[in-house]
Amino acid sequence: MRVLVTGAAGFIGFHLTKRLLEEGIEVVGLDNLNEYYSVSLKEARLSELGVTVHHLHKNQQTNSERYPSFTFVRMDLHDREALPALFVDGNFDVVVNLAAQGGVRYSSENPFAYIDSNLVGFANLLECCRHHHVQHLVYASSSSVYGGNSKTPFEEEDRVDMPVSLYAATKKADELMASCYAKLYGMAATGLRFFTVYGPWGRPDMAPMLFADAILNGREIKVFNNGDLYRDFTYVDDIVEGIVRVMGKTPDPQSDGRRHKIYNIGCSRPIHLLDFISVMERAFGREAKKVYLPMQPGDVYQTYADTTALEQDFGYKPSVGIEEGIAKFAAWRKTY
């Protein structure tokens, strides 16, 4: 199998790429290494994969010094010349799209970053998959598409047409575009709605990393909605396990023939934000300095995944609880 992983220098992309390489699968990793958060962290992840990128120019490929079956290319997903060229000789069996502009709050400040990456980039990728007969496209959606839904747990059949952030709107648009391509061109595509992923090598703009840095350095942490929030925190290894299982099986045709399916992928055990902080305090052996703030625009009160469909179709069941997951995360963060 030959796999293209977009967002390979990102948090989930790094962990997935490493898992695939350790299983002997040939991988081409793509990332534009943008400056949304620390480029040095992305470079450090790639270094773990045996790739040095300090002098790597845009659209240039380099081979891993650690994994003979890994090649990395620095490229923008929305580059309508370079990406199709990559597919000409790519011979990709599976494409896993994890490249996206992330962050709910940031989408209010920099909307075009989301339009370029999450919409234009995804459309470009769909066209490449269509013309080069990729067997299966697996792509990242988000629990953000559920918006302010008060019904819990969130089920894939729930309404998702009332987004509360531009980020969520772009993710829902991706689902609709993938479904359309599956209908029009016979593509096989599976979307995964991720729920609050955490773990080693995590994104520094997300709560676990922000809290850890603040606790370790004696800084204040911002606790929104006065801490009254619930999140379905999911350890990254459980997410990767789900992706790997989904990669190997294309969706069955629906009644109209389209092979497209959406799944929630989460832990299905929402944690109160203050309880999550308490677990982190124990793991780091220090008390957090908390500053309580109101709810932020674009945030939601609760995320809670119903993963019944993923469990029935793929035998998926998360195995890492919050205490174990935070302990692993803290052990990494103390040494990074």
Side-chain angles (χ1 to χ4, degrees):
M1 182 190 298
R2 184 169 166 84
V3 180
L4 172 66
V5 177
T6 73
F11 173 34
I12 302 173
F14 158 72
H15 282 279
L16 174 64
T17 298
K18 189 173 183 180
R19 164 79 180 267
L20 295 176
L21 292 172
E22 289 174 349
E23 293 184 358
I25 295 173
E26 188 175 1
V27 178
V28 174
L30 178 152
D31 204 292
N32 66 359
L33 301 178
N34 67 32
E35 297 182 353
Y36 169 61
Y37 64 80
S38 170
V39 175
S40 63
L41 175 59
K42 300 175 184 179
E43 292 176 342
R45 292 176 184 140
L46 289 173
S47 180
E48 288 287 306
L49 298 174
V51 171
T52 302
V53 296
H54 296 305
H55 303 293
L56 189 65
H57 299 295
K58 185 173 288 189
N59 302 333
Q60 181 182 348
Q61 297 188 38
T62 186
N63 296 322
S64 168
E65 297 177 357
R66 183 172 301 172
Y67 296 98
S69 58
F70 182 50
T71 302
F72 177 76
V73 56
R74 183 173 186 173
M75 184 179 292
D76 286 317
L77 203 61
H78 60 264
D79 191 322
R80 292 171 63 180
E81 293 183 0
L83 190 67
L86 180 67
F87 271 76
V88 169
D89 298 316
N91 298 315
F92 303 122
D93 300 299
V94 176
V95 172
V96 182
N97 181 45
L98 301 174
Q101 179 59 60
V104 170
R105 299 183 190 110
Y106 187 72
S107 67
S108 300
E109 304 166 9
N110 297 274
F112 286 107
Y114 294 78
I115 301 300
D116 290 341
S117 179
N118 301 5
L119 296 181
V120 178
F122 190 65
N124 195 24
L125 186 68
L126 285 170
E127 277 291 285
C128 290
C129 291
R130 165 198 171 192
H131 289 292
H132 295 276
H133 309 293
V134 170
Q135 296 174 16
H136 193 189
L137 168 64
V138 180
Y139 64 94
S141 186
S142 169
S143 62
S144 297
V145 299
Y146 291 107
N149 283 14
S150 56
K151 170 190 164 294
T152 56
F154 299 156
E155 299 179 74
E156 291 88 348
E157 293 77 16
D158 291 344
R159 287 186 60 180
V160 289
D161 55 358
M162 297 289 285
V164 295
S165 69
L166 178 62
Y167 170 71
T170 63
K171 285 300 186 179
K172 178 55 185 173
D174 287 350
E175 294 180 1
L176 292 172
M177 286 192 287
S179 179
C180 179
Y181 268 68
K183 172 61 177 174
L184 293 176
Y185 309 115
M187 286 178 50
T190 304
L192 297 173
R193 292 173 177 169
F194 295 154
F195 281 71
T196 318
V197 189
Y198 74 98
W201 299 99
R203 272 173 39 192
D205 63 312
M206 296 185 71
M209 285 282 279
L210 291 171
F211 292 168
D213 288 347
I215 291 171
L216 286 171
N217 294 288
R219 297 195 302 268
E220 295 177 339
I221 64 174
K222 297 178 180 179
V223 183
F224 294 109
N225 205 39
N226 298 309
D228 187 22
L229 295 171
Y230 287 84
R231 292 292 181 266
D232 197 341
F233 289 102
T234 313
Y235 191 68
V236 65
D237 287 356
D238 285 331
I239 290 288
V240 169
E241 177 63 27
I243 296 172
V244 171
R245 294 188 183 210
V246 168
M247 285 171 57
K249 179 184 175 183
T250 56
D252 294 329
Q254 298 180 28
S255 58
D256 65 351
R258 77 182 73 201
R259 293 186 297 158
H260 178 252
K261 185 90 174 186
I262 298 289
Y263 293 97
N264 289 333
I265 179 167
C267 194
S268 299
R269 292 191 293 273
I271 304 294
H272 194 264
L273 184 58
L274 292 180
D275 292 336
F276 181 80
I277 294 172
S278 294
V279 175
M280 294 200 71
E281 289 173 327
R282 292 195 295 272
F284 286 103
R286 302 183 189 182
E287 185 175 350
K289 299 178 180 178
K290 297 179 276 290
V291 176
Y292 295 97
L293 298 170
M295 183 78 99
Q296 295 294 288
D299 273 356
V300 297
Y301 174 66
Q302 179 175 226
T303 62
Y304 182 180
D306 182 330
T307 58
T308 302
L310 197 63
E311 183 176 347
Q312 289 177 343
D313 291 355
F314 296 95
Y316 169 84
K317 202 165 186 65
S319 61
V320 182
I322 197 70
E323 295 277 355
E324 179 186 356
I326 289 298
K328 291 180 176 180
F329 167 69
W332 167 80
R333 183 60 189 85
K334 290 173 183 176
T335 59
Y336 173 70

